[in-house]
Amino acid sequence: MVLNIGPQHPSTHGVLRLRLVLDGERIERAEPVIGYMHRGAEKLFEARDYRQIVMLANRHDWLSAFSNELGVVLAVERMLGMEVPERAVWTRTLLAELNRVLNHLMFLGSYPLELGGITPVFHAFREREELQNVMEEVSGGRMHYMFNRVGGLKEDLPAGWTGRARGAVAAVRSRMDVYDRLVLGNEIFRGRTRGVGVLSAEAVHAYGVSGPIARASGVDFDLRRDEPYLAYGELGDVLKVVTRQDGDCLARFECLLEQTHNALDLADACLDRIADLPQGPVNQRLPKVLKAPEGHTYAWTENPLGINGYYLVSKGEKTPYRLKLRSASYNNIQALAELLPGTLVADMVAILGSLFFVVGDIDK
């Protein structure tokens, strides 16, 4: 029997369709069918100047908006050979880690919900509000921050903001044991996820899977450590690359949870460093018409869901000749074709939810 899961909205991840070939309750073949949310972002990049494309790049993974902006401005700055003020570098690093916590909290709450546990998502949204408030105060946006600029940031941090940010980080950290105890300590959750949907390290490499999903399968790779950008090169003593060897749904959740703890530590380290920095500019002065020199470059960052890359080709105009996006979710979701055959339909939801994807990031 052929069964279509979707294309209705299965959860909060977006409009995805799975075409399953079943033998009774067991899945024989699975095909992710994508494209229901396609908005042609890569083509639109070619008709916008380098200031405007930040707004478009912001939106494909709506849970990682700040990190999405970051890759674009890093690519353009590299083409221009531009140095960003130190204050902007550390502030970018801080906001990227706060954005990582916001992203992970959504999945830490929604994944148990998909398995029948309703309580964690209420906790997740409470903690998200703490961080959303400080992100909104600094940028003016709750989801799409538009705070990065080529050459730095839109503006400096508001007076007293670092203290409020430190308080929000402390408040979230103090309540993270909800996921350690309430979720990981739940025998039903462990029964539904342990040994289910095992993804091998070989499959990770074959499909280009990255982020917490890859590290849960023992692939020890994180751009923040292995090819440092922003201020991560100076945070080696705080940054912890979380890995597991089992590669199952439980391992993926554990990686996500432990990485959230580490992101809070990194945010505190950035706040400490920003407090020691002298006052100064957070951006570079730009010409009225910004043109990148002719050439090409590739900028990639360790986004919350995995590797996010922008391949920029310039012909010396004020708009990109080509800007190709390599999103994390697109590669990660392809692994479903490998994971689902041989499993039960009841386990399909557990596996699907553990891949932590955003469909806008697939249909970019």
Side-chain angles (χ1 to χ4, degrees), residues 196-197 249 252 336 339-340 343 347-355:
V196 174
C249 295
R252 290 190 278 274
L336 280 171
L339 279 176
L340 290 179
T343 64
D347 290 331
M348 182 272 297
V349 176
I351 296 168
L352 180 65
S354 74
L355 288 185

Side-chain angles (χ1 to χ4, degrees), residues 122-318:
F122 296 119
H123 290 279
F125 271 85
R126 181 183 63 181
E127 318 322 340
R128 277 173 55 82
E129 277 302 312
E130 295 271 5
L131 296 176
Q132 289 279 33
N133 288 339
V134 294
M135 294 293 276
E136 184 178 7
E137 183 188 353
V138 77
S139 68
R142 282 182 64 80
M143 281 187 74
H144 303 299
Y145 306 110
M146 280 302 297
F147 198 57
N148 278 293
R149 296 291 186 272
V150 176
L153 296 168
K154 175 185 169 188
E155 57 198 8
D156 205 350
L157 302 171
W161 181 87
T162 53
R164 292 187 287 278
R166 200 183 289 277
V169 169
V172 172
R173 183 187 283 111
S174 71
R175 297 197 284 258
M176 285 300 292
D177 67 327
V178 165
Y179 309 98
D180 294 314
R181 294 184 296 101
L182 189 65
V183 182
L184 281 182
N186 185 292
E187 60 183 86
I188 299 173
F189 179 83
R190 299 183 77 86
R192 288 292 307 276
T193 55
R194 188 192 283 114
V196 174
V198 177
L199 184 66
S200 67
E202 293 74 25
V204 166
H205 292 303
Y207 284 91
V209 173
S210 59
I213 302 169
R215 292 191 283 273
S217 295
V219 178
D220 188 7
F221 180 70
D222 190 313
L223 284 173
R224 296 174 297 170
R225 179 197 64 193
D226 300 325
E227 198 173 305
Y229 57 97
L230 296 182
Y232 288 113
E234 299 180 50
L235 290 168
D237 55 335
V238 183
L239 176 62
K240 179 182 177 186
V241 180
V242 182
T243 59
R244 293 289 187 277
Q245 299 302 317
D246 296 335
D248 57 7
C249 295
L250 182 60
R252 290 190 278 274
F253 187 86
E254 287 176 343
C255 275
L256 198 75
L257 177 55
E258 201 169 328
Q259 194 168 288
T260 308
H261 283 287
N262 186 237
L264 292 168
D265 294 339
L266 287 166
D268 269 340
C270 291
L271 285 164
D272 291 341
R273 182 59 188 268
I274 290 169
D276 294 337
L277 290 175
Q279 290 296 318
V282 292
N283 47 39
Q284 297 277 26
R285 289 186 66 84
L286 298 176
K288 192 169 184 180
V289 178
L290 180 64
K291 295 182 178 181
E294 193 167 339
H296 60 93
T297 190
Y298 183 67
W300 56 347
T301 54
E302 187 68 44
N303 266 33
L305 298 180
I307 292 172
N308 190 72
Y310 293 100
Y311 178 58
L312 171 62
V313 181
S314 171
K315 292 292 181 77
E317 300 297 325
K318 66 177 183 178

